Amino acid sequence: MSQPGTQPRSTTIPFVSGAGADGSHFAEFCAHPAKFLMRAHAECGELAEFDQGGILTVLMVGPEAQEAVFRAPDEQLSASLAYQYMVPIFGQGVQYGAPTAIERQQLRMHSQGLRAERMTFYAPIIAQEAAEWIRSWGESGEMDFYEGFADLTIKTSTHCLLGPEFRYSLTEEFAKAYHDLGAAVDASGTVDHTAQKAAYARRDEARGRLGDLIKSRITLRRAGKEEHDDLLAVYMNSTYTDGTHLTDDQIAGMVVWFMFAGHHTSANTAAWTLVELARHPEYCREIVQEIDGLYEDDPELGFRTLRKMPLMEGFIREILRARPPLNALSRRVVQDFHYKNHVIEAGKNIMLAPYVSHRLPEYYPDPERFDPHRPDQQNPFAYIPFGGGSRKCVGNAFAILQVKRIFCELLRHYEFELAGPADTYVEIMPSLILRPSDPCVLRYRRRQAA
Ligand code: HEM
């Protein structure tokens, strides 16, 4: 395999204009990945080559190209090699820091912990956390809801993952370590995650502390006699195909991996959902009616009841179309990849961008219009907020359940409005996640009828 940075540019794929003096588009990419990728596609079409800080990268857009990439085997298009910058976060021995055969088995363990029947266990935990959150709100007020949802989803994840004892002893230390870990994931790290930046030193120190905190929980569990039903129990009881258990370091890595994959993505989806509900009172009214109807049928809102929310589901689906959190899905080409009359040589990267794909007017007419009543897209490779193929997000059902359950609680008790002019709530990308403006402040007021 040739090394990144050593291949010639393609002769058949257009090269994006506007490279800097170093021949690279990296500065523009880092400033706002989604905007850069939109520009690249508008200029070059289905395939666009650019220089991502020394790595030639081909952006591929549209269901046909996306299907080809998602269907390619790992041995040809490697996610693991493209995402090596995540290894210091999750740790060696798990996910992209483990051999593919081990990683695939670990993914199955995650999936086991997220099976539909286990959702009946998570739904009431999410409800309890959301209810505790709003208990302190009072009659009315204002808050930064991005921060609020980020805090809430840390609580829901730790509660579902590690149990109530851990959740209710959540220390400042844990929150700070987790924050330092996240602060080190930015677009520049996709090229050099070992640079001697202060943020990376804090990341490595934070990862060590988080690992220790999680391992001390595992030790306490082993010493106790109680049975647990959370994800930590799933990881502790799981075995590889050769019958061996995960090591404590691997279990800690699985916990961090799960938390990390689901945290900002879910918080972000919840924040956009609230912003768009406040921007579109007509849709919000329909959804409040749907939720009130559910409470009348089943005041506990069990998992089965939560599945009957077509309007809320349509709304979340449209949020994930218009504002997909992850937009630089990457693969390293290990064996030359042939697509139509093009060859993308080994050593290059391929990138898919849901944000760009979800704005193709042939699939989404008038794509900038927010319309939760859009018909479901029939081509599964046209709608890719959760990726596709064998690496499709294992947490998608959990994420949607979580957002739905949180909004049942919020909209049952409160009404919301934007605190600033609607056009000031814009898309920003300070890290690799597309999020609403910082701060993301909305006003709330207790519902009179609730
Ligand atoms: C709205 C929320 C979420 C979004 C938009 C999202 C999006 C994605 C995407 C696009 C991928 C594929 C990346 C690629 O192909 O390169 C992915 C993978 C993954 N997601 Fe999610 N995700 C969300 C929530 C979650 C949650 C809540 C969890 C955990 C419970 C989770 C766990 C994972 C895992 C473990 C993978 C890796 C799969 C693999 O490498 O094969 N995600 N996610």
Side-chain angles (χ1 to χ4, degrees):
M1 179 187 101
S2 58
Q3 293 303 308
T6 58
Q7 325 75 14
R9 276 197 218 160
S10 169
T11 51
T12 62
I13 302 171
F15 192 69
V16 180
S17 66
D22 60 352
S24 157
H25 301 87
F26 200 45
E28 187 184 348
F29 176 81
C30 290
H32 199 307
K35 272 192 195 154
F36 170 73
L37 296 171
M38 280 297 281
R39 180 176 87 73
H41 172 64
E43 182 181 302
C44 303
E46 187 183 30
L47 271 60
E49 190 164 66
F50 66 98
D51 184 319
Q52 199 194 348
I55 303 178
L56 283 178
T57 299
V58 177
L59 169 68
M60 298 181 68
V61 177
E64 198 183 348
Q66 286 150 192
E67 177 169 4
V69 173
F70 284 133
R71 287 196 189 283
D74 264 353
E75 299 73 40
Q76 183 175 30
L77 298 186
S78 165
S80 168
L81 288 175
Y83 291 134
Q84 279 299 296
Y85 59 89
M86 294 307 287
V87 173
I89 306 277
F90 302 130
Q92 291 294 343
V94 287
Q95 207 209 19
Y96 307 127
T100 309
I102 295 290
E103 189 214 341
R104 300 317 292 176
Q105 294 181 52
Q106 293 171 342
L107 258 174
R108 272 196 289 279
M109 296 172 195
H110 280 312
S111 307
Q112 216 184 348
L114 291 165
R115 281 203 311 259
E117 66 271 20
R118 293 192 59 83
M119 297 289 176
T120 52
F121 170 75
Y122 305 131
I125 294 180
I126 298 165
Q128 181 189 340
E129 290 291 352
E132 276 182 30
W133 184 33
I134 63 175
R135 202 163 293 145
S136 61
W137 286 10
E139 287 307 304
S140 62
E142 262 190 25
M143 89 168 80
D144 179 343
F145 273 91
Y146 190 87
E147 291 300 320
F149 286 122
D151 189 52
L152 175 65
T153 48
I154 276 263
K155 289 174 177 156
T156 54
S157 321
T158 44
H159 202 153
C160 294
L161 265 165
L162 302 167
E165 319 85 15
F166 193 90
R167 149 69 183 97
Y168 288 107
S169 59
L170 255 191
T171 54
E172 287 281 308
E173 190 191 0
F174 186 92
K176 172 152 189 340
Y178 191 78
H179 174 270
D180 288 349
L181 211 56
V185 182
D186 61 5
S188 69
T190 58
V191 168
D192 184 2
H193 61 275
T194 56
Q196 292 303 310
K197 279 191 182 175
Y200 296 165
R202 281 198 297 277
R203 169 197 67 196
D204 296 341
E205 210 248 318
R207 179 62 182 80
R209 272 184 291 134
L210 268 185
D212 290 344
L213 281 168
I214 297 163
K215 283 188 279 182
S216 65
R217 177 66 28 188
I218 299 171
T219 309
L220 277 175
R221 279 272 169 104
R222 288 218 179 90
K225 295 273 174 282
E226 329 77 87
E227 292 281 312
H228 292 271
D229 214 3
D230 49 28
L231 268 160
L232 183 60
V234 172
Y235 299 146
M236 287 175 69
N237 296 331
S238 295
T239 51
Y240 291 114
T241 44
D242 66 1
T244 56
H245 284 87
L246 284 90
T247 64
D248 287 4
D249 279 326
Q250 287 173 336
I251 296 174
M254 295 283 283
V255 169
V256 176
W257 173 9
F258 183 101
M259 281 191 67
F260 218 80
H263 178 221
H264 286 292
T265 46
S266 301
N268 187 75
T269 305
W272 277 121
T273 301
L274 190 61
V275 168
E276 295 303 343
L277 283 169
R279 235 200 284 252
H280 299 282
E282 69 285 14
Y283 298 137
C284 187
R285 274 192 294 277
E286 296 175 351
I287 289 177
V288 168
Q289 258 182 11
E290 181 174 75
I291 291 174
D292 288 351
L294 292 185
Y295 274 104
E296 273 164 33
D297 293 348
D298 169 16
E300 298 301 316
L301 296 196
F303 175 56
R304 271 178 216 289
T305 305
L306 289 171
R307 292 177 112 165
K308 295 181 256 166
M309 298 187 72
L311 294 174
M312 186 77 216
E313 273 165 27
F315 201 89
I316 299 172
R317 192 167 52 242
E318 178 70 350
I319 290 288
L320 289 169
R321 178 196 72 82
R323 325 278 195 201
L326 301 183
N327 286 293
L329 311 188
S330 303
R331 302 289 184 268
R332 174 68 44 79
V333 184
V334 181
Q335 297 159 12
D336 288 358
F337 184 65
H338 296 256
Y339 178 71
K340 296 187 177 168
N341 60 335
H342 310 284
V343 182
I344 304 169
E345 294 87 0
K348 292 186 179 177
N349 269 5
I350 288 178
M351 190 173 282
L352 305 182
Y355 185 92
V356 182
S357 170
H358 294 172
R359 279 167 172 70
L360 293 176
E362 348 30 318
Y363 297 94
Y364 298 101
D366 195 2
E368 292 304 331
R369 189 165 53 88
F370 184 83
D371 178 6
H373 296 304
R374 268 179 206 279
D376 224 353
Q377 180 49 247
Q378 294 309 304
N379 184 333
F381 293 99
Y383 182 73
I384 55 164
F386 293 110
S390 66
R391 288 200 168 269
K392 189 168 176 177
C393 177
V394 294
N396 62 358
F398 180 86
I400 289 176
L401 171 83
Q402 164 145 279
V403 176
K404 282 202 282 193
R405 191 60 190 87
I406 290 171
F407 276 90
C408 286
E409 209 62 33
L410 264 54
L411 295 177
R412 178 70 169 158
H413 299 285
Y414 285 94
E415 295 167 340
F416 299 88
E417 62 182 17
L418 301 175
D423 59 2
T424 58
Y425 293 77
V426 295
E427 298 163 344
I428 59 169
M429 248 181 133
S431 69
L432 279 171
I433 293 199
L434 181 89
R435 56 156 288 176
S437 325
D438 183 13
C440 179
V441 180
L442 283 94
R443 271 194 286 274
Y444 60 86
R445 192 175 50 244
R446 195 187 296 281
R447 268 178 73 184
Q448 294 310 311

